[in-house]
Amino acid sequence: GAVTAAKGGKSSKEDEDESEEEDDDDDAAEELPPPPVKRGPRASVSAEAYGAWNKVKEFTPPQHAKSDEVADKIRGILSNSFMFSNLDPKDMTVVILAMVQKTFPAGSRIITEGDDGEHLYVIEKGSPVCKKLIEGENKVVKTCQPGDVFGELALLYNNPRAATVEAVDECLAWEAGPRDVQPIVKSAATKKSEMHDGFLKKVSLFATIDSYERAQICDALKTEAYKQGEFVVKQDEEGNKFYIVEEGSLEAIKTVAGKEPAVVMKYSSGDYFGELALL
């Protein structure tokens, strides 16, 4: 008969000899102490993990009553801030109600440069000065006026204060803390992003794009509010916007020469129009 061995094969004698050598090697390896482990400084790791052992607590925002005049004034100021400009009216109202009034007597410090920042302030009354340490000296770089806002980055990211703000005269300010506003801003942004993503999935124009590209479009969407009876677009005007109905109902009215204007389409939440303006 014939015996065929695969390339690299070994006889039984060779296997026995090699096995004995491996056993000797194993015994020697077991006798050796483990090599020392060189340890450097421990790295800092920070993360929020949520599960059965660490559940997200339901957030109940505080409510501090304000007159309609004061609320409208704060709303107008916050609408110009990057952090609040995209909040819908309901979330904006929650933020406004969460703010509490603070009084700072003349000569007192509202915030101090370098300190850990947590609060945002809206000046209602007074003219506090903003100072920065320049060449070893605190120099006035700005005089604040009623309506000014400072502390947005501190509120979101707990950044150190970039400057010192002192009250020159008695100052009244509305204060918002991270525990009061952060959950509102982040939750509102998340909910709105998910809602917009759901809307875009229904638009045939965006059917072939991936989730990343769709997320970029979601970030570009801006909320516009219209009163009842107000026109969103007009027939024959040049179109340069695409609209998705977030809330409410609309009618598309078409005018044909010699005929009365007629309703040709009705829109409700989730419907869209103007997509041809993007092409």
Side-chain angles (χ1 to χ4, degrees), residues 91-228:
D91 289 322
M92 179 68 84
T93 298
V94 173
V95 170
I96 292 170
L97 289 176
M99 300 185 80
V100 61
Q101 190 178 63
K102 295 287 185 178
T103 301
F104 299 94
S108 65
R109 283 192 174 184
I110 302 175
I111 61 174
T112 302
E113 183 176 0
D115 283 358
D116 291 335
E118 288 188 342
H119 295 85
L120 169 144
Y121 295 93
V122 176
I123 303 299
E124 180 180 358
K125 175 187 175 184
S127 302
V129 293
C130 180
K131 296 181 177 180
K132 282 189 68 67
L133 188 62
I134 302 174
E135 297 179 352
E137 183 181 351
N138 277 317
K139 296 184 178 181
V140 176
V141 294
K142 179 183 178 181
T143 298
C144 299
Q145 301 295 334
D148 283 349
V149 182
F150 55 88
E152 293 102 325
L153 294 179
L155 183 65
L156 278 181
Y157 309 114
N158 296 332
N159 280 8
R161 298 295 188 184
T164 295
V165 178
E166 294 180 353
V168 176
D169 47 8
E170 184 180 71
C171 176
L172 297 180
W174 292 99
E175 180 187 82
R179 292 181 180 85
D180 303 333
V181 175
Q182 273 186 351
I184 303 170
V185 174
K186 291 182 179 180
S187 175
T190 300
K191 286 191 296 184
K192 183 156 288 189
S193 179
E194 291 175 349
M195 179 179 62
H196 288 171
D197 187 63
F199 289 157
L200 291 179
K201 286 179 179 178
K202 300 176 184 178
V203 181
S204 57
L205 182 64
F206 307 121
T208 59
I209 67 174
D210 59 30
S211 58
Y212 174 74
E213 293 170 324
R214 199 164 55 247
Q216 290 182 306
I217 297 175
C218 285
D219 290 341
L221 293 175
K222 304 294 182 184
T223 299
E224 294 183 357
Y226 296 89
K227 298 178 181 178
Q228 184 176 359

Side-chain angles (χ1 to χ4, degrees), residues 195-196 198-200 202-204 206 221 242-252 265-275:
M195 179 179 62
H196 288 171
F199 289 157
L200 291 179
K202 300 176 184 178
V203 181
S204 57
F206 307 121
L221 293 175
F242 161 69
Y243 295 90
I244 300 173
V245 182
E246 182 173 315
E247 185 178 296
S249 57
L250 301 91
E251 293 180 339
M265 183 71 73
K266 293 187 178 183
Y267 301 99
S268 58
S269 179
D271 292 335
Y272 58 91
F273 58 92
E275 66 274 19

Side-chain angles (χ1 to χ4, degrees), residues 235 250-256 260-267:
Q235 184 176 341
L250 301 91
E251 293 180 339
I253 303 172
K254 187 171 181 65
T255 302
V256 179
E260 291 291 324
V263 175
V264 294
M265 183 71 73
K266 293 187 178 183
Y267 301 99

Side-chain angles (χ1 to χ4, degrees), residues 67-81 84 88-94 96-97 99 122:
S67 67
D68 291 342
E69 181 182 357
V70 170
D72 288 343
K73 185 182 295 183
I74 297 175
R75 182 177 289 103
I77 294 169
L78 294 183
S79 295
N80 294 319
S81 169
F84 303 103
D88 62 32
K90 292 178 182 178
D91 289 322
M92 179 68 84
T93 298
V94 173
I96 292 170
L97 289 176
M99 300 185 80
V122 176

